Amino acid sequence: MFNITAIPALQDNYIWAIHEGKHAAVVDPGEAAPVLEFLNTRGLQLDAILCTHRHADHIGGISELRKVYNVPVYGRRHPNNPHITHDLREGDQLKLEPFGIEFDIIEIPGHLNDHIAYLAPEILFCGDVLFGGGCGRNFEGSPAQLHHSLQRLAQLPDQTRVYCAHEYTAANLRFAMACEPGNSALQQRVTATQHLRAANQITLPSTIALEKATNPFLRCTQPEIIRTLQQRGLTDTAELGVFTAMREWKNHF
Ligand SMILES: [Zn+2]
């Protein structure tokens, strides 16, 4: 059975490495050096690169990695991501032979239009759409698209592990507490996260169950969250109205 290990990169990115025996694949290598060090230290060879989206902190290491390992690069082809060798669309499947893992590709627009996620049983690589306790910024497309993408992810099985691409959990939970201070599951997560970060430990992967219980962006129908936003001037209390106001508030929090 393969392992999944986080390689810290840049300021707060995680490059996820899937590895088994001598083989490895990486997701969203924003930087090459920490990946090469990880591979060399463990005596691994790189077999594949997976991209969720084309932001520089997710693709910046690909050119340098491919000078060492001329491997396939999977993801969505785009003028701003010229590295892709295999274009992936909604409904495609990606089998990584060395690990016996097969991903379903799902399109989750709303951070960028062409953002995709890799889904296997109990495993989700979701880039910058769903974070621990939060969600990505709405750079392209509408809040409705981002909301819809998050709702799709929320419908995955509870035990699905959420491998997102940034260590944003603590900051996200501070915002979550401002939205829903009476949520006891959230309070427990804040404490657990503080302990992990104080020990310089990673807070990921999360799970879909934990996100549904604590992530305000998946909880837009909760009365306490609606009340909080009403106190800030919200009048449209439909789910999308709440989500849109919350995402806007988070941008300035
Ligand atoms: Zn991004």
PDB file of all heavy atoms in Angstrom, residues 53 55 57-58 111 128, ligand 1:
ATOM      1  N   HIS A  53      -4.178  23.006 -10.548  1.00  0.00           N
ATOM      2  CA  HIS A  53      -4.448  24.274 -11.233  1.00  0.00           C
ATOM      3  C   HIS A  53      -3.151  25.011 -11.496  1.00  0.00           C
ATOM      4  O   HIS A  53      -2.093  24.625 -11.021  1.00  0.00           O
ATOM      5  CB  HIS A  53      -5.460  25.126 -10.462  1.00  0.00           C
ATOM      6  CG  HIS A  53      -4.970  25.682  -9.160  1.00  0.00           C
ATOM      7  ND1 HIS A  53      -4.621  24.901  -8.086  1.00  0.00           N
ATOM      8  CD2 HIS A  53      -4.771  26.969  -8.758  1.00  0.00           C
ATOM      9  CE1 HIS A  53      -4.252  25.670  -7.080  1.00  0.00           C
ATOM     10  NE2 HIS A  53      -4.324  26.930  -7.458  1.00  0.00           N
ATOM     11  N   HIS A  55      -1.791  28.045 -10.862  1.00  0.00           N
ATOM     12  CA  HIS A  55      -1.103  29.092 -10.103  1.00  0.00           C
ATOM     13  C   HIS A  55       0.367  28.728  -9.912  1.00  0.00           C
ATOM     14  O   HIS A  55       0.723  27.556  -9.741  1.00  0.00           O
ATOM     15  CB  HIS A  55      -1.772  29.304  -8.739  1.00  0.00           C
ATOM     16  CG  HIS A  55      -2.948  30.235  -8.803  1.00  0.00           C
ATOM     17  ND1 HIS A  55      -4.019  30.163  -7.954  1.00  0.00           N
ATOM     18  CD2 HIS A  55      -3.196  31.287  -9.632  1.00  0.00           C
ATOM     19  CE1 HIS A  55      -4.880  31.114  -8.246  1.00  0.00           C
ATOM     20  NE2 HIS A  55      -4.415  31.805  -9.266  1.00  0.00           N
ATOM     21  N   ASP A  57       2.479  28.928  -7.569  1.00  0.00           N
ATOM     22  CA  ASP A  57       2.930  28.183  -6.387  1.00  0.00           C
ATOM     23  C   ASP A  57       2.513  26.710  -6.434  1.00  0.00           C
ATOM     24  O   ASP A  57       2.791  25.956  -5.506  1.00  0.00           O
ATOM     25  CB  ASP A  57       2.429  28.855  -5.090  1.00  0.00           C
ATOM     26  CG  ASP A  57       0.918  28.921  -4.996  1.00  0.00           C
ATOM     27  OD1 ASP A  57       0.264  29.216  -6.013  1.00  0.00           O
ATOM     28  OD2 ASP A  57       0.384  28.672  -3.900  1.00  0.00           O
ATOM     29  N   HIS A  58       1.898  26.298  -7.550  1.00  0.00           N
ATOM     30  CA  HIS A  58       1.539  24.889  -7.749  1.00  0.00           C
ATOM     31  C   HIS A  58       2.282  24.252  -8.925  1.00  0.00           C
ATOM     32  O   HIS A  58       2.345  23.031  -9.020  1.00  0.00           O
ATOM     33  CB  HIS A  58       0.023  24.751  -7.950  1.00  0.00           C
ATOM     34  CG  HIS A  58      -0.740  25.183  -6.742  1.00  0.00           C
ATOM     35  ND1 HIS A  58      -1.396  24.308  -5.906  1.00  0.00           N
ATOM     36  CD2 HIS A  58      -0.914  26.412  -6.189  1.00  0.00           C
ATOM     37  CE1 HIS A  58      -1.947  24.984  -4.902  1.00  0.00           C
ATOM     38  NE2 HIS A  58      -1.670  26.252  -5.060  1.00  0.00           N
ATOM     39  N   HIS A 111     -12.153  28.829  -7.891  1.00  0.00           N
ATOM     40  CA  HIS A 111     -10.874  29.446  -7.507  1.00  0.00           C
ATOM     41  C   HIS A 111     -10.233  29.899  -8.822  1.00  0.00           C
ATOM     42  O   HIS A 111     -10.014  31.076  -9.029  1.00  0.00           O
ATOM     43  CB  HIS A 111     -10.021  28.438  -6.746  1.00  0.00           C
ATOM     44  CG  HIS A 111      -8.642  28.918  -6.397  1.00  0.00           C
ATOM     45  ND1 HIS A 111      -8.411  29.947  -5.518  1.00  0.00           N
ATOM     46  CD2 HIS A 111      -7.428  28.495  -6.816  1.00  0.00           C
ATOM     47  CE1 HIS A 111      -7.086  30.145  -5.416  1.00  0.00           C
ATOM     48  NE2 HIS A 111      -6.479  29.283  -6.198  1.00  0.00           N
ATOM     49  N   ASP A 128      -6.549  24.242  -4.207  1.00  0.00           N
ATOM     50  CA  ASP A 128      -6.889  25.464  -3.464  1.00  0.00           C
ATOM     51  C   ASP A 128      -8.396  25.727  -3.426  1.00  0.00           C
ATOM     52  O   ASP A 128      -8.818  26.873  -3.318  1.00  0.00           O
ATOM     53  CB  ASP A 128      -6.219  26.684  -4.120  1.00  0.00           C
ATOM     54  CG  ASP A 128      -4.734  26.764  -3.827  1.00  0.00           C
ATOM     55  OD1 ASP A 128      -4.214  25.907  -3.092  1.00  0.00           O
ATOM     56  OD2 ASP A 128      -4.090  27.689  -4.358  1.00  0.00           O
TER      57      ASP A 128
HETATM   58 ZN    ZN B   1      -4.362  28.754  -6.321  1.00  0.00          ZN
END
